[in-house]
């Protein structure tokens, strides 16, 4: 048996934040990971952190307030917000960031001009400032542990704010990127996980890898530890003060996905580590569940030539591809069905529209249609402008020929493209309003002006099509917590000794993805709260 004060399950951003908060509050900590690598979804993410009225905003003199943040969230509420947890995130988020920066577990800066996602709502910040990006981190500082970060063999030698995804008009020169790769510098979620891991290791918190949890241990009503298995051998982990569930979502468990989610999910953008382990433990403990039909929805692109190292299908969120000119999305009828440049989380819902006449989802399958102008100028997944279009992308010299390959009506596709071209040339999209929002412009072609950053006619052969999937970045439902990250039972009472954070719990912001970093802000905040609360229990 291994005995400690606080056990944290999961080594993503939430789990490591919990470990650090518990340690700095005076507890002995055991950080446990099911897989042989740390970081999970956090490691492959963009790493952006959304926190209202954050310390970097204050330092830069940017105005924000508790009232603005709460008004923004409540204007978007469809009944899934809980005041206590929402207010805990808004009130304690800045504190959590300040704590993590003070111990060198984070080093972040404001993403210039990155707007909130719903700019028509009260309290929104069109000029940005609530979204934070990570400074570069040198992996050499981690020694052998650097190789234990999930997907670290895929280098990201730049900060998000240096890319079009972060608002830059050009990438750093190749020689600069080459120098960074030579010195093993990284940004994005890799930098976040690496800094958190370094801070853990500096405090003697070495993740225990390859541990599969089986059951929670109880003494009466109180959770006292975990029955687990490592290398085929059973082990018992005992926690004197508490167990924190921070194992991520459940999107890679097909049965849970089918049982809980409200619509089809064919291609998650997360790595195949989110298998619902924490949710199963919480259910065993009699936890009250919330937000279970929701997720961090996003349209995704399957890259069949780039599976995960473990063999699972891989997909990635599409942002730039559907926003830049000379592209549209169409459904099985060959018709546009949305503002293609809208924020990805809200856009995910359009794939769940059900057609009662056909008893099927009317916008699946969906296809991104683009032309030679697009191919010459813009990326597609990991393919950069100037590189060959992948073989798995359909192409034809005519729209009719392309439609035949897709299996949709050629006349309908031709009419759709002709109508879009007329509106694009006029600089106005009366059908779906593409280009009217500041957010629509953020991922567009900033070398152009006005709505031309996103509106451009499709007219130069060859024409291309690629299927767009109904995907997600992760689930955001799970056990309900109170404002101190303590998990609640069916009766609404606290389950003593059991806490949660990250995608493993019912998100404090419900299903609302407030802006870039809308998952990691609550994850880090509730990780911090969970760690502190657990450490102070019976201390």
């Amino acid at each position: 048996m291994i005995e400690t004060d606080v056990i944290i399950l999961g080594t993503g951003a939430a789990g490591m934040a919990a470990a650090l908060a518990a340690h700095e509050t005076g507890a002995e900590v055991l950080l446990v990971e099911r897989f042989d690598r740390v970081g999970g979804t956090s490691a492959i993410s963009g790493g952006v952190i959304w926190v209202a009225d954050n310390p970097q905003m204050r330092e830069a003199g940017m105005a924000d307030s508790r009232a603005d943040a709460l008004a923004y969230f409540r204007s978007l509420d469809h009944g899934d917000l809980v005041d206590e947890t929402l207010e805990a995130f808004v009130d304690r988020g800045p504190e959590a960031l300040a704590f993590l920066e003070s111990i060198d577990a984070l080093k972040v800066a404001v993403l210039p001009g990155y707007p909130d996602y719903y700019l028509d709502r009260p309290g929104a910040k069109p000029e940005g400032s609530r979204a934070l990006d990570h400074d570069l981190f040198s992996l050499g500082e981690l020694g052998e542990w650097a190789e234990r970060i999930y997907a670290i063999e895929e280098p990201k030698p730049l900060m998000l704010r240096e890319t079009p995804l972060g608002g830059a008009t050009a990438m750093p020169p190749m020689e600069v990127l080459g120098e960074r790769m030579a010195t093993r510098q990284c940004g994005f979620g890799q930098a976040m996980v690496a800094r958190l891991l370094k801070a853990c290791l500096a405090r003697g918190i070495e993740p225990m890898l390859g541990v599969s949890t089986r059951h929670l241990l109880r003494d009466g009503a109180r959770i006292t530890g975990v029955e687990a298995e490592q290398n085929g051998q059973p082990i018992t982990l005992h926690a004197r003060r508490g167990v924190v569930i921070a194992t991520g979502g459940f999107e890679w468990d097909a049965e849970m996905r089918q049982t809980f989610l409200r619509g089809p999910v064919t291609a998650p953008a997360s790595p195949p580590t989110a298998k619902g382990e924490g949710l199963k433990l919480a259910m065993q403990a009699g936890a009250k569940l919330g937000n279970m039909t929701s997720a961090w929805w996003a349209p995704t692109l399957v890259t069949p030539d780039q599976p995960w190292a473990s063999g699972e299908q891989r997909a990635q969120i599409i942002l730039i591809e559907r926003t830049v000119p000379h592209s549209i999305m169409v459904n099985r009828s060959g018709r546009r069905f949305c503002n293609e440049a809208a924020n990805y989380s809200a856009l995910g819902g359009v794939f769940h529209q059900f057609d009662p006449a056909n008893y099927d989802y009317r916008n699946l399958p969906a296809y991104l249609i683009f032309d030679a102008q697009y191919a010459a100028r813009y990326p597609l997944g990991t393919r950069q402008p100037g590189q060959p279009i992948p073989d798995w992308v359909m192409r034809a010299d005519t729209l009719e020929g392309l439609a035949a390959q897709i299996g949709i009506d050629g006349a309908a596709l031709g009419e759709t493209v002709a109508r879009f071209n007329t509106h694009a040339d006029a600089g106005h999209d009366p059908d779906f309003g593409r280009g009217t929002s500041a957010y629509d412009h953020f991922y567009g072609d900033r070398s152009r002006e006005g709505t031309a950053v996103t509106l451009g006619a499709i007219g130069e052969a060859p024409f291309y099509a690629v299927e767009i999937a109904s995907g997600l970045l992760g689930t955001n439902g799970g056990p309900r917590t109170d404002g101190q990250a303590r998990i609640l039972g069916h009766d609404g009472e606290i389950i003593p000794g059991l806490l949660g954070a990250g995608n493993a719990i019912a998100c404090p912001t419900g299903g609302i993805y407030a802006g870039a970093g809308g998952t990691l802000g609550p994850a880090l905040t509730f990780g911090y709260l969970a760690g502190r609360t657990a450490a102070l229990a019976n201390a």
Side-chain angles (χ1 to χ4, degrees), residues 38 40 79 83 96 163 167 248 280 291 296 302 314 335 386 394 421 425 451 470 487 492 495 505:
V38 303
D83 285 346
T163 74
K280 293 173 184 175
N291 232 40
W296 304 123
V302 173
R314 188 168 188 172
R335 306 296 183 185
M394 292 170 280
N421 287 351
D425 289 341
T451 57
S470 173
I487 289 176
I495 300 175
I505 64 170

Side-chain angles (χ1 to χ4, degrees), residues 330-336 403 408-418:
V330 300
N331 60 17
R332 64 172 67 190
S333 300
R335 306 296 183 185
R336 290 180 70 209
I408 64 177
D409 182 77
L413 179 60
E415 291 169 7
T416 297
V417 170

Side-chain angles (χ1 to χ4, degrees), residues 208-257:
M208 187 176 179
L209 304 179
V211 178
S212 298
T213 56
R214 298 291 180 244
H215 302 283
L216 293 171
L217 300 174
R218 305 186 82 133
D219 182 1
R222 185 174 187 81
I223 301 301
T224 58
V226 179
E227 284 186 356
E229 184 178 289
Q230 186 182 40
N231 300 323
Q233 299 299 314
I235 54 173
T236 300
L237 309 176
H238 181 67
R240 291 182 287 265
R241 302 186 192 178
V243 175
V244 178
I245 295 175
T247 52
F250 59 84
E251 63 270 17
W252 281 90
D253 185 292
E255 183 179 1
M256 284 187 170
R257 215 166 54 213

Side-chain angles (χ1 to χ4, degrees), residues 4 20 42 89 105 158 188-189 211 223 264 351 430 448 473 490 505 510 513:
T4 189
L20 291 165
S42 298
F89 167 53
L158 68 175
F188 290 72
V211 178
I223 301 301
F351 296 104
R448 304 186 178 196
L473 305 181
H490 287 306
I505 64 170
Y513 202 104

Side-chain angles (χ1 to χ4, degrees), residues 432-448:
F432 297 101
R434 179 171 165 180
T436 58
S437 166
Y439 179 84
D440 292 2
H441 292 221
F442 193 81
Y443 290 117
D445 184 342
R446 297 194 183 187
S447 69
R448 304 186 178 196

Side-chain angles (χ1 to χ4, degrees), residues 28 30 47 52 66 109 141 212 214 236 262 277 292 311 326 333 357 369 446 455 478 483-484 495 514:
E28 182 183 13
L30 181 63
R66 179 181 196 267
E141 298 179 36
S212 298
R214 298 291 180 244
T236 300
R262 70 166 183 249
E277 179 182 21
M292 294 304 297
H326 314 299
S333 300
I369 307 294
R446 297 194 183 187
L455 295 177
Q484 297 180 60
I495 300 175

Side-chain angles (χ1 to χ4, degrees), residues 135-158:
D135 288 358
L136 294 172
F137 180 86
S138 178
L139 290 170
E141 298 179 36
L142 284 176
E144 294 181 356
W145 273 98
E147 310 309 320
R148 290 296 186 180
I149 296 175
Y150 200 90
I152 199 63
E153 61 275 6
E154 300 173 8
K156 292 186 172 121
L158 68 175

